[in-house]
Amino acid sequence: MDSDLICEDNKIHDEVCEQVTVDMPDENELYDVAELFKIFGDSTRIRILSALAQAEMCVCDIGAVLNMTKSAVSHQLRILRQAKLVKNRRNGKEIFYSLDDDHVLSIINLALEHIKE
Amino acid sequence: MDSDLICEDNKIHDEVCEQVTVDMPDENELYDVAELFKIFGDSTRIRILSALAQAEMCVCDIGAVLNMTKSAVSHQLRILRQAKLVKNRRNGKEIFYSLDDDHVLSIINLALEHIKE
DNA sequence: CAAACAGTTGAAGAATTGTTCAACTGTTAT
DNA sequence: ATAACAGTTGAACAATTCTTCAACTGTTTG
């Protein structure tokens, strides 16, 4: 990872590298962005979010709509909850989930647009 | 995955489920969106894309800026290439990479906005 | 209080993924 | 032609991740 790195000595390359290095967004921000995308990067979770985009739903019903066990749904909902992408409220035995933020949908929709090309 | 599924017989639930099922986006589209996000969901790739957002660069220089081996960079570039997120052109010994599409950046930037809250 | 249902949780196993290493291709310069 | 450099590739290994299963908590109802 040392002798393997740099192109032959070349001022133009060095200048570009330095400029890009300086202008790079904050390392931690990029890390957080990647973490966010990692959560979107699973078809099960995207399907859950798409379902919740249409109606507040309980775990059981999400499972019914997506043909998954309650357990599998619950595991994914925990991840979505920790990422603050969904919120929930209890009503008797049932726990209803909904999107936490409209931002979530705009990101998915932007990606959907990109796909259709 | 059968007896585990549906809430107690309840017309309201059934109606919501049916409506959501009908209105769900196409299964394959959601799958493709998840695949796209999966590619964004790695900090190495996000860093590469962020670097390329600022300047066209060769593999060596990307490695220098991000402190990675050429091999690791190349492996990730292949994934980005296959997803049509970056394009390349050869110039002598060097191969210069750049973003394939401005769409790419708007998705990342939207996510960056979401992060900052 | 006991049964029934909604939901959560942890462990286990399979599958996927990212990096490294070594060997390879392709281009340039001596 | 051969050495040197830029880049790619496949195998191997470690690490992460998703689902299933079984056991658990919490709430309602008989």
Side-chain angles (χ1 to χ4, degrees), chain A residues 5-38:
Chain A
L5 269 182
I6 300 169
C7 293
E8 283 296 83
D9 287 341
N10 180 324
K11 283 177 190 167
I12 296 175
H13 283 248
D14 289 352
E15 282 168 20
V16 169
C17 285
E18 200 168 332
Q19 193 59 47
V20 170
T21 302
V22 169
D23 291 346
M24 280 285 283
D26 180 46
E27 187 85 6
N28 295 321
E29 265 177 22
L30 291 178
Y31 184 81
D32 289 343
V33 170
E35 287 303 303
L36 179 62
F37 281 131
K38 205 171 287 183

Side-chain angles (χ1 to χ4, degrees), chain B residues 34-101:
Chain B
E35 288 303 303
L36 179 62
F37 281 131
K38 204 171 288 182
I39 290 171
F40 285 119
D42 175 82
S43 57
T44 295
R45 288 192 287 268
I46 287 284
R47 286 162 73 223
I48 291 176
L49 292 173
S50 285
L52 295 181
Q54 296 175 64
E56 185 190 51
M57 292 171 84
C58 66
V59 178
C60 238
D61 286 349
I62 296 172
V65 168
L66 303 184
N67 196 36
M68 300 173 56
T69 63
K70 286 185 294 186
S71 178
V73 173
S74 184
H75 276 298
Q76 298 304 335
L77 283 172
R78 184 173 53 81
I79 294 171
L80 294 171
R81 223 185 309 127
Q82 286 172 345
K84 302 221 168 98
L85 298 179
V86 303
K87 59 181 186 238
N88 59 11
R89 69 180 176 85
R90 176 155 228 146
N91 186 342
K93 282 187 293 190
E94 294 163 340
I95 297 178
F96 285 92
Y97 280 83
S98 57
L99 297 189
D100 192 339
D101 188 349

Side-chain angles (χ1 to χ4, degrees), chain A residues 47-57 98-99 105 108, chain B residues 20:
Chain A
R47 285 162 73 225
I48 291 176
L49 293 172
S50 286
L52 294 180
Q54 297 175 64
E56 186 189 51
M57 292 171 84
S98 57
L99 298 188
L105 240 135
I108 295 179
Chain B
V20 170

Side-chain angles (χ1 to χ4, degrees), chain A:
Chain A
M1 183 114 83
D2 270 316
S3 58
D4 191 22
L5 269 182
I6 300 169
C7 293
E8 283 296 83
D9 287 341
N10 180 324
K11 283 177 190 167
I12 296 175
H13 283 248
D14 289 352
E15 282 168 20
V16 169
C17 285
E18 200 168 332
Q19 193 59 47
V20 170
T21 302
V22 169
D23 291 346
M24 280 285 283
D26 180 46
E27 187 85 6
N28 295 321
E29 265 177 22
L30 291 178
Y31 184 81
D32 289 343
V33 170
E35 287 303 303
L36 179 62
F37 281 131
K38 205 171 287 183
I39 290 170
F40 285 118
D42 175 83
S43 57
T44 295
R45 287 191 288 268
I46 287 284
R47 285 162 73 225
I48 291 176
L49 293 172
S50 286
L52 294 180
Q54 297 175 64
E56 186 189 51
M57 292 171 84
C58 66
V59 178
C60 237
D61 286 348
I62 296 171
V65 167
L66 304 184
N67 196 36
M68 299 173 56
T69 63
K70 286 184 294 185
S71 177
V73 173
S74 183
H75 277 297
Q76 297 305 333
L77 283 173
R78 184 173 52 82
I79 294 172
L80 294 171
R81 223 186 308 129
Q82 286 173 345
K84 303 223 167 95
L85 299 179
V86 303
K87 60 181 185 237
N88 59 12
R89 70 180 175 86
R90 175 155 229 146
N91 186 341
K93 282 186 293 189
E94 293 164 340
I95 298 179
F96 285 92
Y97 280 83
S98 57
L99 298 188
D100 192 338
D101 187 350
D102 290 338
H103 232 147
V104 174
L105 240 135
S106 49
I107 294 176
I108 295 179
N109 285 333
L110 192 55
L112 268 168
E113 279 178 40
H114 177 83
I115 292 292
K116 298 173 182 168
E117 276 175 14

